[in-house]
Amino acid sequence: MVKVAVVEGDGIGREVVPVARDILAAVRPDIEFFDVEVGYGRWERTGSACGEETIADLRSADAILFGAVTTPPDPGYRSVLLQIRHALDLYANVRPIRGEGVDVVIVRENTEGLYSGIEWTEPDRACTVRVVSRRGSERIARYACPLAKSRRHLTVGNKANVLKSDCLFVEVCTAEAARAGVSCRTSYIDALCLDLLMHPDRYDVIVTTNIFGDILSDAAAYLVGGLGMLPSANIGERHALFEPVHGSAPDIAGKNVANPVAAIQSAAMLLEHLGDPASAAVVEEAVDRVLRAGIRTPDLGGVAGTREFGAAVLREVGRGK
Ligand code: NAI
Ligand code: MG
């Protein structure tokens, strides 16, 4: 029996996660799902968006399927996802971007950088500390280098011309790439954002620090049809969480129009992580066939609803098994 924790969250998380979960259940009837509640509603009720017992529940799972959680820009509120990433030490955020003429993987350091959680507010200023440690850089470099070696090459996205912290990041990543025999270059993150959009074929694996990876991946979604298309994995030594790159999208929530592809492909990454690449391929190919048949949600110019798209993928999964 495999145990998968399901965190729908709120907004479109409640719409796309059930679709992904049904597809997982169809390909792997041995998965036992259990729901975990986090987020604003829990915060209002209990004063904590994500309690100790929530973390304990998540730790007990073989893998976590996560939707999205609305985070109000309130200094008193700490992002649930950041809490989970820190508590489960999910240090590698892997964001594949695949489409016509595009095959890039962004590997984002996921526990430190500008999201280290070391911050405070004073009456007339507020400070956030950007931490880049040798250990943190080494472990993300050791994740990215073998991946780049199995593919083509590595780009280290950075701003070392301005940030001392990135001098260390670049030093560690380039040294690790040399040790691993990986072809590697460095690129300033601002120029990289534009060049990736103009010449995606120049890129393969991109390793970068936390906020740069966050921004770069949302921008890169442009290459493949938008945020509804990008899945991700958050990987640690002991735990793993799979989620769409997008957020709770309050502007379209509750209308059955959200694109569930990102969530479904995140479920495929979860299957891969469970050591079941065959089922992952069944899911990925089913999604491809449905898209090729012209069944699409409105963000891709189609008329299919979230649930109708999911039902079409389920039918294809049935054929592909
Ligand atoms: P967002 O990713 O939720 O939405 C950005 C834009 O993309 C919106 O116009 C939305 O309609 C569209 N979009 C996103 N996913 C889509 C999908 N599957 N299908 C069709 N269109 C889609 O980012 P935004 O608006 O900046 O944030 C909304 C809330 O989500 C905020 O409270 C933010 O903190 C939270 N958030 C949560 C994340 C998480 O839980 N992992 C990640 C990013 C944001
Ligand atoms: Mg983001």
Side-chain angles (χ1 to χ4, degrees), residues 12 68-71 81 227-228 243 246-252 258-259 299:
I12 62 168
V69 178
T70 302
T71 305
L81 196 54
L227 275 176
E243 52 156 357
H246 63 71
S248 57
D251 54 335
I252 58 164
N259 185 348
D299 55 309

Side-chain angles (χ1 to χ4, degrees), residues 271-292:
L271 290 165
E272 189 95 39
H273 177 78
L274 292 178
D276 187 358
S279 297
V282 166
V283 173
E284 280 166 12
E285 285 159 19
V287 171
D288 284 347
R289 282 200 299 277
V290 170
L291 289 172
R292 274 203 305 274

Side-chain angles (χ1 to χ4, degrees), residues 144-258:
C145 286
L147 182 64
K149 178 118 186 165
S150 72
R151 292 169 51 104
R152 292 183 296 138
H153 51 79
L154 182 70
T155 303
V156 185
N158 71 93
K159 197 70 185 169
N161 48 338
V162 179
L163 301 172
K164 299 268 174 294
S165 44
D166 263 7
C167 293
L168 177 61
F169 188 74
V170 169
E171 177 204 314
V172 169
C173 289
T174 50
E176 186 58 36
R179 205 176 0 257
V182 174
S183 159
C184 172
R185 64 202 154 129
T186 63
S187 186
Y188 294 135
I189 193 71
D190 38 3
L192 173 57
C193 275
L194 178 61
D195 202 47
L196 176 60
L197 296 193
M198 291 182 72
H199 306 287
D201 53 301
R202 290 182 185 164
Y203 295 92
D204 182 32
V205 178
I206 301 172
V207 67
T208 190
T209 50
N210 209 335
I211 198 170
F212 292 161
D214 192 3
I215 297 169
L216 186 66
S217 48
D218 271 33
Y222 175 75
L223 294 166
V224 293
L227 275 176
M229 300 298 284
L230 289 197
S232 77
N234 294 256
I235 308 282
E237 299 292 343
R238 314 241 302 264
H239 306 282
L241 178 152
F242 301 83
E243 52 156 357
V245 165
H246 63 71
S248 57
D251 54 335
I252 58 164
K255 299 179 180 156
N256 191 38
V257 294

Side-chain angles (χ1 to χ4, degrees), residues 7 9-10 14 35-58 69-70 77 80 83-84:
V7 184
D10 56 66
R14 295 218 176 108
D35 288 298
V36 176
E37 193 208 347
V38 299
Y40 200 66
R42 192 182 190 283
W43 186 60
E44 283 184 317
R45 246 191 12 262
T46 68
S48 139
C50 173
E52 275 304 311
E53 75 285 5
T54 318
I55 297 293
D57 283 348
L58 295 176
V69 178
T70 302
Y77 185 87
V80 169
Q83 284 183 60
I84 294 172

